[in-house]
Amino acid sequence: MLEYLYPLRTYLIVSGVEKPNVMTADWVVPLSFEPPMLGVAVGHTRYTHRLIKECGEFVVAVPTIELLKDVWIAGTMSGAKENKIEKLSLTLVDSKKVKVPSVKECQANIECRVVKEAETGDHTFFVGEILAVTHGDAFVGGKPDISYKFIMHASFGKNFTTNSSEKFMP
Amino acid sequence: MLEYLYPLRTYLIVSGVEKPNVMTADWVVPLSFEPPMLGVAVGHTRYTHRLIKECGEFVVAVPTIELLKDVWIAGTMSGAKENKIEKLSLTLVDSKKVKVPSVKECQANIECRVVKEAETGDHTFFVGEILAVTHGDAFVGGKPDISYKFIMHASFGKNFTTNSSEKFMP
């Protein structure tokens, strides 16, 4: 029933401090302007679920299509069983306000502290207050440049697309 | 801070029974496979906020770019002050499982009953269990056909784009 909301943007969720992990997530949503908040739904069985519960922080990193191979690995390999970070060609760097690291190769890193949780079926919905953001050239002036190809999940599985660079005005 | 998650898909939210209303929303997210659930964040000051609180149901309708003018009107005019439905060239039709109507011209209508609410800053996050879906040709087999141009909000304001029809495999 959920694929009727697709295609959806795909992001990376970083969590954990001592042994950070990177997970792929389509289920990310803005929630509030003031204070700035966003939410992410994470499956109960995910390693990231445990990490966010433990450290109370996460980073939403914004990949572009050049990172698709890493996004696929991060979404299909479990960091609980293998050293996922070693398999990824991503560089973890210090964040500004949270202990959880950011992803250097991503076009934005949104640093969040968990302020609320809600159980929603087989996922936990983590509500994060946004404490800081760092960004690359795709967000000059704080707005996305749609000539960049952000990753979209076209439907479940190995099916991806991107945004158009075409502009429409109503 | 929230535009770092953009461009984001744009949907229509239908609510109300006796005098239904249609609102535009980018802040929509899948939440659970089993039971199937999704969430939508609605600003406290919105007429739709009151309607969802009253009737406990809403429909997420999936527009394509042909409906952009209606999507803009639905997102900028308040149904509390004016008869918004009259200004829209959209047809409200009976839904399958909920009393709130669906939008005939949309490619999917996802019928939801509110099962949980969470206060998140200046918005309320309504969690809906998906009771039924109806769809058009863009979802044959239940999966999106990305040759259709679904609406994406490029950034806040009058800036829209769509998905690419290009396919990427990791």
Side-chain angles (χ1 to χ4, degrees):
Chain A
M1 303 263 228
L2 302 171
E3 280 185 296
Y4 295 98
L5 294 174
Y6 279 68
L8 273 185
R9 285 287 305 281
T10 298
Y11 307 90
L12 294 171
I13 308 296
V14 192
S15 63
V17 177
E18 280 164 40
K19 190 196 158 198
N21 189 56
V22 180
M23 182 191 88
T24 301
D26 305 331
W27 298 7
V28 176
V29 66
L31 290 173
S32 170
F33 291 107
E34 193 45 53
M37 295 163 93
L38 61 78
V40 55
V42 180
H44 290 154
T45 59
R46 294 291 202 136
Y47 182 46
T48 290
H49 190 274
R50 195 204 310 173
L51 291 177
I52 296 179
K53 284 265 189 187
E54 278 170 13
C55 76
E57 294 177 348
F58 61 93
V59 169
V60 180
V62 178
T64 47
I65 203 75
E66 296 78 12
L67 300 179
L68 184 59
K69 196 165 169 251
D70 285 308
V71 163
W72 181 254
I73 294 169
T76 50
M77 178 188 284
S78 173
K81 291 168 198 153
E82 301 186 74
N83 190 337
K84 195 197 280 193
I85 298 299
E86 267 183 11
K87 304 274 198 262
L88 300 173
S89 56
L90 298 175
T91 316
L92 298 183
V93 295
D94 283 350
S95 294
K96 286 204 292 191
K97 292 269 181 79
V98 300
K99 296 184 298 297
V100 170
S102 291
V103 181
K104 187 181 170 191
E105 291 79 5
C106 282
Q107 281 294 331
N109 281 275
I110 309 170
E111 304 177 18
C112 300
R113 181 178 53 211
V114 176
V115 293
K116 194 173 279 198
E117 296 178 22
E119 287 306 307
T120 54
D122 48 29
H123 284 55
T124 300
F125 187 66
F126 292 103
V127 178
E129 182 171 350
I130 304 173
L131 302 182
V133 180
T134 54
H135 66 86
D137 293 343
F139 290 96
V140 174
K143 285 176 189 302
D145 173 350
I146 60 168
S147 69
Y148 281 78
K149 291 179 188 290
F150 299 101
I151 299 178
M152 297 190 79
H153 209 174
S155 59
F156 296 145
K158 227 170 185 172
N159 309 301
F160 291 88
T161 186
T162 183
N163 49 285
S164 167
S165 58
E166 204 179 348
K167 291 175 185 176
F168 293 91
M169 277 214 0
Chain B
M1 304 265 230
L2 301 171
E3 281 185 296
Y4 295 98
L5 293 174
Y6 279 68
L8 273 185
R9 285 287 306 280
T10 297
Y11 307 90
L12 294 170
I13 308 295
V14 192
S15 62
V17 177
E18 280 163 39
K19 190 195 160 202
N21 189 58
V22 180
M23 183 190 88
T24 301
D26 304 332
W27 298 8
V28 177
V29 65
L31 289 174
S32 170
F33 291 107
E34 191 48 52
M37 297 165 92
L38 61 79
V40 56
V42 180
H44 291 154
T45 60
R46 293 291 201 134
Y47 182 46
T48 289
H49 190 275
R50 195 206 308 173
L51 291 176
I52 296 180
K53 284 264 189 190
E54 278 170 14
C55 75
E57 293 178 348
F58 61 92
V59 169
V60 179
V62 177
T64 47
I65 204 74
E66 296 78 12
L67 301 178
L68 185 58
K69 197 163 170 257
D70 286 307
V71 163
W72 182 254
I73 294 169
T76 49
M77 176 188 282
S78 173
K81 292 167 195 153
E82 301 185 75
N83 190 336
K84 194 196 282 194
I85 299 298
E86 267 183 10
K87 303 273 196 265
L88 299 174
S89 56
L90 298 175
T91 316
L92 297 182
V93 295
D94 284 350
S95 295
K96 286 204 294 190
K97 292 270 181 80
V98 299
K99 298 184 299 295
V100 169
S102 291
V103 181
K104 188 181 171 192
E105 291 80 5
C106 282
Q107 282 294 332
N109 282 275
I110 308 169
E111 305 178 19
C112 300
R113 179 177 56 210
V114 176
V115 292
K116 193 173 279 199
E117 297 177 21
E119 287 306 309
T120 55
D122 48 28
H123 284 56
T124 299
F125 187 66
F126 292 103
V127 177
E129 182 172 350
I130 303 172
L131 302 181
V133 179
T134 54
H135 67 86
D137 293 342
F139 291 96
V140 174
K143 285 178 188 301
D145 175 349
I146 60 169
S147 69
Y148 281 79
K149 290 177 188 290
F150 300 102
I151 299 178
M152 296 189 81
H153 209 174
S155 58
F156 297 145
K158 227 172 186 172
N159 309 302
F160 292 88
T161 187
T162 183
N163 50 285
S164 168
S165 58
E166 202 178 348
K167 292 176 185 175
F168 293 92
M169 276 216 358

